[in-house]
Amino acid sequence: MHYNVTHLRRQAFYALPQSDWQLLAAPPISYLDTLIAVDEGIEANGRIASGILSAALSSLNLPSNAPTSSHISKQNHSLDWHGHATPNDNDKAQTIIRQLYRDWSVEGAPERNSCNDPVLEDLALEFPVSNGDINRNDIKILIPGAGLGRLVFEICARGFQAEGNEISFHALFTSSYILNSLPPGGSGSYQMDLYPWISTFSNRISRNDQLRKVKIPDVHPGTELESASEGQKIHAFQRMSMTASDFTLLYGGDGNKEKFNAVCTVFFIDTAPNLLRYVETIRNCLKHGGLWINVGPLLWHFHPNLGDDGHGRNEDILDGEDGEDGVGNKDGRRENGKGNNNNNNKREDRGIAEPGSVELTNEEVLSLVEQSGFTIEKQEIIEAGGGYISDDTSLFVQRYRLSHWVARRNR
């Protein structure tokens, strides 16, 4: 990361005429001091990444200290996970850093609340605590594309059984670390320094904006869930879970048929190459009368390879969460728009890797949902929807209007 972010910039800086770089290195600009500060921020982010890696290796029963390259046999080469990051790996790491800011910092609360709060309010209306006939501990909620797990955590903390689903192992390892591996402690001793914008040099008003530090997480999940378990029939630790799988493959089968009381999709449905598969899967895993709550834009991640549309949409997503780095660069890429047209009438059980794609309008999405066994009970466009891992201090700020609707399975 240092090489890509600061080393190359130092080389380019010293390639300037000497009189120019000397002027820029001196106060008040002090550009070389900026690069030193950026390196320190990268190191701080690296400590978080090391913690995530160590926890992931422990969960997989792999050694925490891999042998050095000179001692690795061909059979054990896979254990050497250091020094082999690809540019795509670095992009994903940057996305995770910014998702940590969005989901687990105080500063990220306005953005995440703009889409999470409508879901929590809809669940509260459907399953009110005041209704003595409802025990939320028995209500099962599914959250596909759970990302770093904040909505899963919030739903569980309100007494529900919350099951997240995610396909990105980067997100899975990170959410597991935040939810399960933080040391106990009061007065914020569990918190870590995060520099979400440290590698972004463009569109800066002030250098302090780039070097801004936040603390994560804003709450200790274990402590909060312990408190939320008081007086409950089922402890919160037993009510929260995460699955690692392609959403349609896992939840479209008999094993999850009519299992959930509600499905909550937040910034998720536009990750579908063919939305009909998501609709069928949600109908399969929802109980009769169950609720589907949706909040998000329609920034379709899949489209035929018709050339670059300026938003990176030639590169598809295997990630449930919207992992933007600027505009539209997403996690988990594969080729798209190259399915064999001779197989159009042949249903392939390949989940998100199924060939073909279609991009629908909001009206068309709602029509498809209604045709597929749902009744739309509520729909609105949230005008002040907010961004997605966007930096409000930047000269470039992206904002979404969010489609929020509630549908009930009627057959």
Side-chain angles (χ1 to χ4, degrees), residues 299-303 309 311-316 324 328 330:
L299 188 62
W300 297 106
H301 298 10
F302 294 80
H303 63 64
D309 65 352
H311 296 278
R313 283 296 167 260
N314 298 8
E315 299 177 344
D316 292 337
E324 295 183 6
K330 304 283 185 173

Side-chain angles (χ1 to χ4, degrees), residues 263-400:
V263 176
C264 305
T265 54
V266 176
F267 275 76
F268 178 69
I269 64 172
D270 56 359
T271 66
N274 179 1
L275 182 61
L276 185 57
R277 298 293 170 261
Y278 278 14
V279 176
E280 292 170 343
T281 301
I282 291 171
R283 183 176 181 275
N284 177 76
C285 66
L286 259 183
K287 295 181 179 181
H288 285 277
L291 220 58
W292 178 2
I293 304 169
N294 178 76
V295 178
L298 292 176
L299 188 62
W300 297 106
H301 298 10
F302 294 80
H303 63 64
N305 191 8
L306 301 177
D308 188 2
D309 65 352
H311 296 278
R313 283 296 167 260
N314 298 8
E315 299 177 344
D316 292 337
I317 315 313
L318 296 182
D319 228 307
E321 270 297 300
D322 192 14
E324 295 183 6
D325 183 6
V327 183
N329 290 323
K330 304 283 185 173
D331 233 353
R333 299 174 167 98
R334 71 168 176 84
E335 289 188 356
N336 181 54
K338 298 180 181 178
N340 187 342
N341 290 333
N342 293 329
N343 292 328
N344 281 345
N345 296 322
K346 185 178 180 181
R347 180 71 176 270
E348 298 185 45
D349 193 17
R350 295 170 56 190
I352 206 169
E354 179 181 298
S357 63
V358 62
E359 300 149 285
L360 303 177
T361 68
N362 189 60
E363 291 178 346
E364 291 165 344
V365 168
L366 293 171
S367 176
L368 177 62
V369 170
E370 287 187 311
Q371 291 178 57
S372 302
F374 292 88
T375 300
I376 304 295
E377 296 188 346
K378 172 183 179 180
Q379 57 174 301
E380 64 174 340
I381 301 297
I382 303 176
E383 296 291 342
Y388 194 94
I389 55 176
S390 62
D391 179 6
D392 287 338
T393 68
S394 173
L395 290 170
F396 172 77
V397 180
Q398 186 179 26
R399 286 288 181 266
Y400 293 108

Side-chain angles (χ1 to χ4, degrees), residues 131-344:
N131 188 339
D133 295 330
I134 296 176
N135 188 326
R136 287 187 173 182
N137 288 186
D138 297 324
I139 304 299
K140 297 180 179 179
I141 313 294
L142 176 64
I143 306 96
L148 303 193
R150 184 63 186 239
L151 185 56
V152 178
F153 162 77
E154 296 288 355
I155 290 174
C156 180
R158 285 160 175 76
F160 299 102
Q161 293 188 42
E163 182 172 316
N165 168 252
E166 180 56 58
I167 196 170
S168 164
F169 68 85
H170 296 82
L172 286 161
F173 288 157
T174 304
S175 65
S176 178
Y177 177 65
I178 294 293
L179 293 170
N180 302 314
S181 301
L182 294 181
S187 303
S189 59
Y190 55 87
Q191 292 184 313
M192 300 163 285
D193 294 337
L194 179 80
Y195 293 80
W197 319 114
I198 198 67
S199 62
T200 304
F201 284 76
S202 297
N203 287 314
R204 287 279 154 238
I205 296 174
S206 166
R207 194 63 69 185
N208 289 334
D209 297 334
Q210 178 183 3
L211 303 176
R212 182 166 48 131
K213 175 180 70 176
V214 301
K215 294 283 188 180
I216 61 153
D218 57 322
V219 297
H220 190 286
T223 302
E224 295 295 317
L225 292 179
E226 189 70 54
S227 176
S229 299
E230 295 180 6
Q232 300 293 312
K233 182 174 71 173
I234 305 174
H235 196 285
F237 295 167
Q238 297 174 294
R239 290 187 278 106
M240 186 173 68
S241 61
M242 189 81 77
T243 61
S245 174
D246 182 297
F247 170 64
T248 60
L249 294 181
L250 179 59
Y251 293 97
D254 291 339
N256 284 293
K257 190 174 182 63
E258 298 182 2
K259 178 180 177 180
F260 296 96
N261 301 92
V263 176
C264 305
T265 54
V266 176
F267 275 76
F268 178 69
I269 64 172
D270 56 359
T271 66
N274 179 1
L275 182 61
L276 185 57
R277 298 293 170 261
Y278 278 14
V279 176
E280 292 170 343
T281 301
I282 291 171
R283 183 176 181 275
N284 177 76
C285 66
L286 259 183
K287 295 181 179 181
H288 285 277
L291 220 58
W292 178 2
I293 304 169
N294 178 76
V295 178
L298 292 176
L299 188 62
W300 297 106
H301 298 10
F302 294 80
H303 63 64
N305 191 8
L306 301 177
D308 188 2
D309 65 352
H311 296 278
R313 283 296 167 260
N314 298 8
E315 299 177 344
D316 292 337
I317 315 313
L318 296 182
D319 228 307
E321 270 297 300
D322 192 14
E324 295 183 6
D325 183 6
V327 183
N329 290 323
K330 304 283 185 173
D331 233 353
R333 299 174 167 98
R334 71 168 176 84
E335 289 188 356
N336 181 54
K338 298 180 181 178
N340 187 342
N341 290 333
N342 293 329
N343 292 328
N344 281 345

Side-chain angles (χ1 to χ4, degrees), residues 18 28-29 61 101 142 173 180 202 406:
Q18 184 175 8
I29 296 178
N61 296 317
Y101 164 82
L142 176 64
F173 288 157
N180 302 314
S202 297
V406 177

